[in-house]
Each structure stands twice: as C-alpha cells, then as structure tokens.
Amino acid sequence: MNTPPPPPDPLLLPVRDPRARYDVPDYAGMHELAADLVLPAGASMYVMSAMETSRELIRHAYYRYEFATVAVTHSLFALEHVLAERLGTNEPLHALIERAADTGRITAELAAELDRCRLLRDKLTQGAESSAALRLLQAVHMVRAVFEAVSLLLRPPAGAEASAADAGGAPPEDVLDRLWQEHRRALYPDGFRGVDFDDVDLVLLDANVAGHVYTELTHGLDDTGIGHLWGCIADLDKVVPLINEEYCAGYFTNLRTMARVAAERHIPTAT
C-alpha cells in the first residue's frame, strides 16, 4: 500500500529580527529610516540598481539584521562606479575617494565617512568583521553618505543648465552637446522595450528624439524637424508622469530636457 507524501510545511512568514526592536517599533519605522535615501536623477541603470538594492536591504534588515551591514557594502558598487566615471580613472576606491575630495567634488567630512564604509568592506573581505558588524542606525548613516556622494558627483556643474531666460535668452552652445553625450552613454531601461504609455511607444519616442538632436548638432533642424521635435516634447510631457519605475522615469526626464534644449535654440530672441 502506497503512503501519501506528507503535506508540505505551511508557508512561514518573515518575523522581526529581535535585534531590530532597539531601533524601530515596527516595519513601518523602516520606511521612515529609508525615506531620505532618494535615488539621484541621471544615474545609469547599474548605479540605480545598486543604490535601490542597498535601500531595500536597509528596509529588510527588520527581518534579518545583517542586511544593514550588507547594504553599506553593496552601496559601494555604485559609489566606485560613479567615481571612476567622473574622475576618468580606475584607481582603487580609497584613491578615488581621496581624489574626489582633493578636486572639491565632495567635502573632506563626506570623504572621511566614505572611507569608513570602504574600510568596513575591506574588513569583511578579510574576515576581520562579520555581517553583523553594524547597528541598523549606523548602517543607515553610512548608506546615506554614499547616496549623498553619488548625488553630488552626478550633479551637473553650476550654470550648465542655463535656459533661454538666462544670458540673453540662448543656452550655451556646449549644453546640448553635453546632454547628447550623456544620453549616448545611458542604457535604455530594461523591461521597457515594446512598452507604450497612452499610445506613445517609448522606444520609438526615444529614437525620434535622438535622431532630431543628432540632426540639430550636425546640420541644424529645418522647420519640419523642429515641428516634429516639439511633437516629441509634447509626447514626453504626457508620458513621463505616467512612468512609475525610477530609472525609466529619470531616463525619459533627461531625454525631455535634451529635447527642449535643442528645440529652444529655434525660439526667436525677444527684442
């Protein structure tokens, strides 16, 4: 006689790590702790993914306390990538942090906090510390420092976004070229190919804007091209508020900025 297999174990729901009770009263408190860990606009998908994962590790440290320490080390992936890109060198992380401070891209105080994060990562690698090295609030403070540094490094230079209202009504000639180069380096958002919002195909919209901007930079747009570009801007104004994924929203927000800078070159100067 065949015996039926035993019934599967009931699904076990996650429970609070008892160590978390010293930091927050409940899981809702984790959202408050992570509320100011805001992803910066204009980051690549790699950087955005690393930072978002770090933020979620902080939240889920409520269930596994070690996730707080892991969040700090994971956030350093984003920091190292952005430092190397902005400084144009692939030196070790401690040298990149020092160089960023020396060139005024980050403050000395922030550099010191980032180096503490780097030292923690090295100790974990060497087995000198465990994944339970940090209290939750310490980890939040360190991840916050990484988020602040990445936002500072990605921020455009002061005055680079001058609009038509500034300096006599025309943006600097190099602004569009800089935006175009940044757009070319940005990765199209994974998972948004073949997707449309309000009957606007995102891939086609991206390609149309890129084509018009390239034409403006190389030959200059004619009246028909300018009209088409303003039509793309209208579509971007319509779809950007509908995108609920942060990297994709940032990608198309930057695309809209580039399109407007190109189109505004053809607005007559007021006399």
Side-chain angles (χ1 to χ4, degrees):
M1 177 173 159
N2 293 328
T3 334
D9 292 332
L11 179 64
L12 296 177
L13 297 176
V15 296
R16 180 179 68 177
D17 189 309
R19 292 167 289 182
R21 72 180 184 274
Y22 299 109
D23 300 301
V24 291
D26 51 31
Y27 184 62
M30 302 301 296
H31 295 279
E32 294 176 14
L33 282 180
D36 63 345
L37 299 178
V38 179
L39 301 178
S44 69
M45 180 170 291
Y46 174 84
V47 171
M48 198 76 76
S49 174
M51 296 180 74
E52 190 169 22
T53 299
S54 300
R55 185 182 64 194
E56 296 312 305
L57 283 166
I58 288 290
R59 286 198 179 111
H60 286 82
Y62 182 79
Y63 300 112
R64 182 68 182 183
Y65 210 65
E66 284 80 358
F67 286 176
T69 300
V70 178
V72 176
T73 60
H74 198 86
S75 70
L76 293 180
F77 295 149
L79 175 67
E80 190 162 7
H81 183 87
V82 172
L83 281 169
E85 181 183 67
R86 286 295 186 259
L87 298 173
T89 178
N90 287 316
E91 297 176 80
L93 181 55
H94 71 89
L96 291 171
I97 293 170
E98 184 177 341
R99 186 185 292 270
D102 289 343
T103 56
R105 292 173 180 263
I106 58 175
T107 65
E109 293 79 11
L110 183 55
E113 188 62 32
L114 297 175
D115 204 51
R116 279 191 283 273
C117 299
R118 191 267 311 172
L119 286 169
L120 172 65
R121 183 197 65 180
D122 291 350
K123 288 179 180 179
L124 286 165
T125 302
Q126 297 157 8
E129 287 283 8
S130 75
S131 294
L134 296 177
R135 290 283 304 274
L136 177 57
L137 297 182
Q138 291 175 301
V140 171
H141 179 76
M142 295 171 88
V143 171
R144 188 179 291 123
V146 173
F147 270 64
E148 180 183 349
V150 170
S151 296
L152 286 171
L153 291 162
L154 291 175
R155 185 178 299 169
E161 298 294 342
S163 65
D166 300 320
E173 290 298 317
D174 62 343
V175 171
L176 183 60
D177 182 66
R178 178 183 61 78
L179 293 172
W180 171 244
Q181 296 304 326
E182 290 178 356
H183 177 73
R184 290 183 63 192
R185 291 193 297 269
L187 296 175
Y188 186 87
D190 282 348
F192 286 85
R193 301 185 188 280
V195 173
D196 66 81
F197 285 93
D198 204 4
D199 296 324
V200 176
D201 184 280
L202 295 185
V203 170
L204 185 59
L205 180 58
D206 180 46
N208 285 340
V209 171
H212 290 315
V213 170
Y214 179 76
T215 300
E216 172 65 15
L217 287 168
T218 53
H219 308 297
L221 288 167
D222 58 18
D223 290 344
T224 301
I226 296 166
H228 287 162
L229 182 56
W230 279 110
C232 291
I233 293 169
D235 285 340
L236 285 163
D237 288 340
K238 180 168 58 173
V239 303
V240 166
L242 303 177
I243 301 173
N244 60 5
E245 196 274 331
E246 289 183 86
Y247 177 80
C248 186
Y251 180 94
F252 280 93
T253 297
N254 293 339
L255 186 72
R256 179 172 57 182
T257 298
M258 181 176 69
R260 291 193 68 89
V261 170
E264 286 170 0
R265 285 179 161 198
H266 298 274
I267 298 176
T269 303
T271 57

mmCIF file with all atom_site columns, all heavy atoms in Angstrom, residues 46-59:
data_model
loop_
_atom_site.group_PDB
_atom_site.id
_atom_site.type_symbol
_atom_site.label_atom_id
_atom_site.label_alt_id
_atom_site.label_comp_id
_atom_site.label_asym_id
_atom_site.label_entity_id
_atom_site.label_seq_id
_atom_site.pdbx_PDB_ins_code
_atom_site.Cartn_x
_atom_site.Cartn_y
_atom_site.Cartn_z
_atom_site.occupancy
_atom_site.B_iso_or_equiv
_atom_site.pdbx_formal_charge
_atom_site.auth_seq_id
_atom_site.auth_comp_id
_atom_site.auth_asym_id
_atom_site.auth_atom_id
_atom_site.pdbx_PDB_model_num
ATOM 1   N N   . TYR A 1 46 ? 23.004 50.576 -13.909 1.00 0.00 ? 46 TYR A N   1
ATOM 2   C CA  . TYR A 1 46 ? 23.845 49.841 -12.964 1.00 0.00 ? 46 TYR A CA  1
ATOM 3   C C   . TYR A 1 46 ? 23.884 50.546 -11.617 1.00 0.00 ? 46 TYR A C   1
ATOM 4   O O   . TYR A 1 46 ? 23.700 49.918 -10.560 1.00 0.00 ? 46 TYR A O   1
ATOM 5   C CB  . TYR A 1 46 ? 25.265 49.714 -13.526 1.00 0.00 ? 46 TYR A CB  1
ATOM 6   C CG  . TYR A 1 46 ? 26.241 49.091 -12.552 1.00 0.00 ? 46 TYR A CG  1
ATOM 7   C CD1 . TYR A 1 46 ? 26.347 47.708 -12.444 1.00 0.00 ? 46 TYR A CD1 1
ATOM 8   C CD2 . TYR A 1 46 ? 27.035 49.878 -11.727 1.00 0.00 ? 46 TYR A CD2 1
ATOM 9   C CE1 . TYR A 1 46 ? 27.226 47.128 -11.542 1.00 0.00 ? 46 TYR A CE1 1
ATOM 10  C CE2 . TYR A 1 46 ? 27.916 49.313 -10.812 1.00 0.00 ? 46 TYR A CE2 1
ATOM 11  C CZ  . TYR A 1 46 ? 28.011 47.936 -10.731 1.00 0.00 ? 46 TYR A CZ  1
ATOM 12  O OH  . TYR A 1 46 ? 28.876 47.376 -9.832  1.00 0.00 ? 46 TYR A OH  1
ATOM 13  N N   . VAL A 1 47 ? 24.124 51.860 -11.633 1.00 0.00 ? 47 VAL A N   1
ATOM 14  C CA  . VAL A 1 47 ? 24.200 52.635 -10.400 1.00 0.00 ? 47 VAL A CA  1
ATOM 15  C C   . VAL A 1 47 ? 22.845 52.649 -9.703  1.00 0.00 ? 47 VAL A C   1
ATOM 16  O O   . VAL A 1 47 ? 22.743 52.455 -8.488  1.00 0.00 ? 47 VAL A O   1
ATOM 17  C CB  . VAL A 1 47 ? 24.695 54.066 -10.702 1.00 0.00 ? 47 VAL A CB  1
ATOM 18  C CG1 . VAL A 1 47 ? 24.566 54.971 -9.468  1.00 0.00 ? 47 VAL A CG1 1
ATOM 19  C CG2 . VAL A 1 47 ? 26.136 54.027 -11.173 1.00 0.00 ? 47 VAL A CG2 1
ATOM 20  N N   . MET A 1 48 ? 21.787 52.872 -10.474 1.00 0.00 ? 48 MET A N   1
ATOM 21  C CA  . MET A 1 48 ? 20.441 52.920 -9.901  1.00 0.00 ? 48 MET A CA  1
ATOM 22  C C   . MET A 1 48 ? 20.089 51.588 -9.234  1.00 0.00 ? 48 MET A C   1
ATOM 23  O O   . MET A 1 48 ? 19.529 51.551 -8.136  1.00 0.00 ? 48 MET A O   1
ATOM 24  C CB  . MET A 1 48 ? 19.431 53.249 -11.000 1.00 0.00 ? 48 MET A CB  1
ATOM 25  C CG  . MET A 1 48 ? 18.112 53.729 -10.492 1.00 0.00 ? 48 MET A CG  1
ATOM 26  S SD  . MET A 1 48 ? 18.155 55.428 -9.913  1.00 0.00 ? 48 MET A SD  1
ATOM 27  C CE  . MET A 1 48 ? 18.158 56.323 -11.445 1.00 0.00 ? 48 MET A CE  1
ATOM 28  N N   . SER A 1 49 ? 20.444 50.479 -9.887  1.00 0.00 ? 49 SER A N   1
ATOM 29  C CA  . SER A 1 49 ? 20.121 49.162 -9.334  1.00 0.00 ? 49 SER A CA  1
ATOM 30  C C   . SER A 1 49 ? 20.870 48.917 -8.029  1.00 0.00 ? 49 SER A C   1
ATOM 31  O O   . SER A 1 49 ? 20.285 48.432 -7.043  1.00 0.00 ? 49 SER A O   1
ATOM 32  C CB  . SER A 1 49 ? 20.476 48.077 -10.356 1.00 0.00 ? 49 SER A CB  1
ATOM 33  O OG  . SER A 1 49 ? 20.298 46.791 -9.805  1.00 0.00 ? 49 SER A OG  1
ATOM 34  N N   . ALA A 1 50 ? 22.155 49.271 -7.986  1.00 0.00 ? 50 ALA A N   1
ATOM 35  C CA  . ALA A 1 50 ? 22.940 49.054 -6.769  1.00 0.00 ? 50 ALA A CA  1
ATOM 36  C C   . ALA A 1 50 ? 22.404 49.891 -5.612  1.00 0.00 ? 50 ALA A C   1
ATOM 37  O O   . ALA A 1 50 ? 22.299 49.411 -4.474  1.00 0.00 ? 50 ALA A O   1
ATOM 38  C CB  . ALA A 1 50 ? 24.412 49.385 -7.040  1.00 0.00 ? 50 ALA A CB  1
ATOM 39  N N   . MET A 1 51 ? 22.030 51.138 -5.886  1.00 0.00 ? 51 MET A N   1
ATOM 40  C CA  . MET A 1 51 ? 21.550 52.013 -4.830  1.00 0.00 ? 51 MET A CA  1
ATOM 41  C C   . MET A 1 51 ? 20.168 51.594 -4.346  1.00 0.00 ? 51 MET A C   1
ATOM 42  O O   . MET A 1 51 ? 19.881 51.601 -3.145  1.00 0.00 ? 51 MET A O   1
ATOM 43  C CB  . MET A 1 51 ? 21.544 53.459 -5.319  1.00 0.00 ? 51 MET A CB  1
ATOM 44  C CG  . MET A 1 51 ? 22.935 53.979 -5.644  1.00 0.00 ? 51 MET A CG  1
ATOM 45  S SD  . MET A 1 51 ? 22.954 55.678 -6.231  1.00 0.00 ? 51 MET A SD  1
ATOM 46  C CE  . MET A 1 51 ? 22.653 56.567 -4.698  1.00 0.00 ? 51 MET A CE  1
ATOM 47  N N   . GLU A 1 52 ? 19.315 51.212 -5.282  1.00 0.00 ? 52 GLU A N   1
ATOM 48  C CA  . GLU A 1 52 ? 17.971 50.779 -4.891  1.00 0.00 ? 52 GLU A CA  1
ATOM 49  C C   . GLU A 1 52 ? 18.034 49.495 -4.060  1.00 0.00 ? 52 GLU A C   1
ATOM 50  O O   . GLU A 1 52 ? 17.317 49.340 -3.071  1.00 0.00 ? 52 GLU A O   1
ATOM 51  C CB  . GLU A 1 52 ? 17.112 50.569 -6.134  1.00 0.00 ? 52 GLU A CB  1
ATOM 52  C CG  . GLU A 1 52 ? 15.649 50.343 -5.825  1.00 0.00 ? 52 GLU A CG  1
ATOM 53  C CD  . GLU A 1 52 ? 14.773 50.412 -7.064  1.00 0.00 ? 52 GLU A CD  1
ATOM 54  O OE1 . GLU A 1 52 ? 15.294 50.225 -8.180  1.00 0.00 ? 52 GLU A OE1 1
ATOM 55  O OE2 . GLU A 1 52 ? 13.573 50.658 -6.916  1.00 0.00 ? 52 GLU A OE2 1
ATOM 56  N N   . THR A 1 53 ? 18.934 48.581 -4.455  1.00 0.00 ? 53 THR A N   1
ATOM 57  C CA  . THR A 1 53 ? 19.103 47.348 -3.683  1.00 0.00 ? 53 THR A CA  1
ATOM 58  C C   . THR A 1 53 ? 19.591 47.662 -2.270  1.00 0.00 ? 53 THR A C   1
ATOM 59  O O   . THR A 1 53 ? 19.124 47.065 -1.286  1.00 0.00 ? 53 THR A O   1
ATOM 60  C CB  . THR A 1 53 ? 20.093 46.411 -4.392  1.00 0.00 ? 53 THR A CB  1
ATOM 61  O OG1 . THR A 1 53 ? 19.576 46.071 -5.687  1.00 0.00 ? 53 THR A OG1 1
ATOM 62  C CG2 . THR A 1 53 ? 20.307 45.141 -3.588  1.00 0.00 ? 53 THR A CG2 1
ATOM 63  N N   . SER A 1 54 ? 20.519 48.617 -2.150  1.00 0.00 ? 54 SER A N   1
ATOM 64  C CA  . SER A 1 54 ? 21.016 48.998 -0.824  1.00 0.00 ? 54 SER A CA  1
ATOM 65  C C   . SER A 1 54 ? 19.895 49.543 0.052   1.00 0.00 ? 54 SER A C   1
ATOM 66  O O   . SER A 1 54 ? 19.796 49.214 1.238   1.00 0.00 ? 54 SER A O   1
ATOM 67  C CB  . SER A 1 54 ? 22.115 50.052 -0.970  1.00 0.00 ? 54 SER A CB  1
ATOM 68  O OG  . SER A 1 54 ? 23.184 49.553 -1.732  1.00 0.00 ? 54 SER A OG  1
ATOM 69  N N   . ARG A 1 55 ? 19.059 50.361 -0.546  1.00 0.00 ? 55 ARG A N   1
ATOM 70  C CA  . ARG A 1 55 ? 17.935 50.927 0.214   1.00 0.00 ? 55 ARG A CA  1
ATOM 71  C C   . ARG A 1 55 ? 16.977 49.833 0.677   1.00 0.00 ? 55 ARG A C   1
ATOM 72  O O   . ARG A 1 55 ? 16.501 49.845 1.824   1.00 0.00 ? 55 ARG A O   1
ATOM 73  C CB  . ARG A 1 55 ? 17.188 51.942 -0.655  1.00 0.00 ? 55 ARG A CB  1
ATOM 74  C CG  . ARG A 1 55 ? 16.073 52.685 0.078   1.00 0.00 ? 55 ARG A CG  1
ATOM 75  C CD  . ARG A 1 55 ? 15.353 53.626 -0.854  1.00 0.00 ? 55 ARG A CD  1
ATOM 76  N NE  . ARG A 1 55 ? 14.680 52.897 -1.925  1.00 0.00 ? 55 ARG A NE  1
ATOM 77  C CZ  . ARG A 1 55 ? 14.193 53.477 -3.025  1.00 0.00 ? 55 ARG A CZ  1
ATOM 78  N NH1 . ARG A 1 55 ? 14.310 54.776 -3.199  1.00 0.00 ? 55 ARG A NH1 1
ATOM 79  N NH2 . ARG A 1 55 ? 13.590 52.758 -3.951  1.00 0.00 ? 55 ARG A NH2 1
ATOM 80  N N   . GLU A 1 56 ? 16.697 48.864 -0.198  1.00 0.00 ? 56 GLU A N   1
ATOM 81  C CA  . GLU A 1 56 ? 15.770 47.794 0.182   1.00 0.00 ? 56 GLU A CA  1
ATOM 82  C C   . GLU A 1 56 ? 16.394 46.862 1.223   1.00 0.00 ? 56 GLU A C   1
ATOM 83  O O   . GLU A 1 56 ? 15.690 46.312 2.066   1.00 0.00 ? 56 GLU A O   1
ATOM 84  C CB  . GLU A 1 56 ? 15.336 47.019 -1.062  1.00 0.00 ? 56 GLU A CB  1
ATOM 85  C CG  . GLU A 1 56 ? 14.532 47.857 -2.053  1.00 0.00 ? 56 GLU A CG  1
ATOM 86  C CD  . GLU A 1 56 ? 13.415 48.637 -1.375  1.00 0.00 ? 56 GLU A CD  1
ATOM 87  O OE1 . GLU A 1 56 ? 12.587 48.013 -0.687  1.00 0.00 ? 56 GLU A OE1 1
ATOM 88  O OE2 . GLU A 1 56 ? 13.389 49.882 -1.510  1.00 0.00 ? 56 GLU A OE2 1
ATOM 89  N N   . LEU A 1 57 ? 17.709 46.690 1.168   1.00 0.00 ? 57 LEU A N   1
ATOM 90  C CA  . LEU A 1 57 ? 18.378 45.896 2.209   1.00 0.00 ? 57 LEU A CA  1
ATOM 91  C C   . LEU A 1 57 ? 18.223 46.563 3.569   1.00 0.00 ? 57 LEU A C   1
ATOM 92  O O   . LEU A 1 57 ? 18.041 45.879 4.591   1.00 0.00 ? 57 LEU A O   1
ATOM 93  C CB  . LEU A 1 57 ? 19.858 45.728 1.861   1.00 0.00 ? 57 LEU A CB  1
ATOM 94  C CG  . LEU A 1 57 ? 20.179 44.696 0.770   1.00 0.00 ? 57 LEU A CG  1
ATOM 95  C CD1 . LEU A 1 57 ? 21.613 44.870 0.275   1.00 0.00 ? 57 LEU A CD1 1
ATOM 96  C CD2 . LEU A 1 57 ? 19.968 43.274 1.295   1.00 0.00 ? 57 LEU A CD2 1
ATOM 97  N N   . ILE A 1 58 ? 18.293 47.882 3.595   1.00 0.00 ? 58 ILE A N   1
ATOM 98  C CA  . ILE A 1 58 ? 18.062 48.601 4.852   1.00 0.00 ? 58 ILE A CA  1
ATOM 99  C C   . ILE A 1 58 ? 16.661 48.286 5.369   1.00 0.00 ? 58 ILE A C   1
ATOM 100 O O   . ILE A 1 58 ? 16.475 47.950 6.550   1.00 0.00 ? 58 ILE A O   1
ATOM 101 C CB  . ILE A 1 58 ? 18.226 50.123 4.650   1.00 0.00 ? 58 ILE A CB  1
ATOM 102 C CG1 . ILE A 1 58 ? 19.701 50.493 4.453   1.00 0.00 ? 58 ILE A CG1 1
ATOM 103 C CG2 . ILE A 1 58 ? 17.624 50.908 5.808   1.00 0.00 ? 58 ILE A CG2 1
ATOM 104 C CD1 . ILE A 1 58 ? 20.559 50.349 5.686   1.00 0.00 ? 58 ILE A CD1 1
ATOM 105 N N   . ARG A 1 59 ? 15.651 48.402 4.510   1.00 0.00 ? 59 ARG A N   1
ATOM 106 C CA  . ARG A 1 59 ? 14.276 48.132 4.944   1.00 0.00 ? 59 ARG A CA  1
ATOM 107 C C   . ARG A 1 59 ? 14.129 46.708 5.484   1.00 0.00 ? 59 ARG A C   1
ATOM 108 O O   . ARG A 1 59 ? 13.480 46.478 6.501   1.00 0.00 ? 59 ARG A O   1
ATOM 109 C CB  . ARG A 1 59 ? 13.314 48.350 3.779   1.00 0.00 ? 59 ARG A CB  1
ATOM 110 C CG  . ARG A 1 59 ? 13.066 49.810 3.433   1.00 0.00 ? 59 ARG A CG  1
ATOM 111 C CD  . ARG A 1 59 ? 11.809 49.921 2.596   1.00 0.00 ? 59 ARG A CD  1
ATOM 112 N NE  . ARG A 1 59 ? 11.543 51.311 2.266   1.00 0.00 ? 59 ARG A NE  1
ATOM 113 C CZ  . ARG A 1 59 ? 11.649 51.833 1.048   1.00 0.00 ? 59 ARG A CZ  1
ATOM 114 N NH1 . ARG A 1 59 ? 12.021 51.073 0.041   1.00 0.00 ? 59 ARG A NH1 1
ATOM 115 N NH2 . ARG A 1 59 ? 11.386 53.110 0.825   1.00 0.00 ? 59 ARG A NH2 1
#
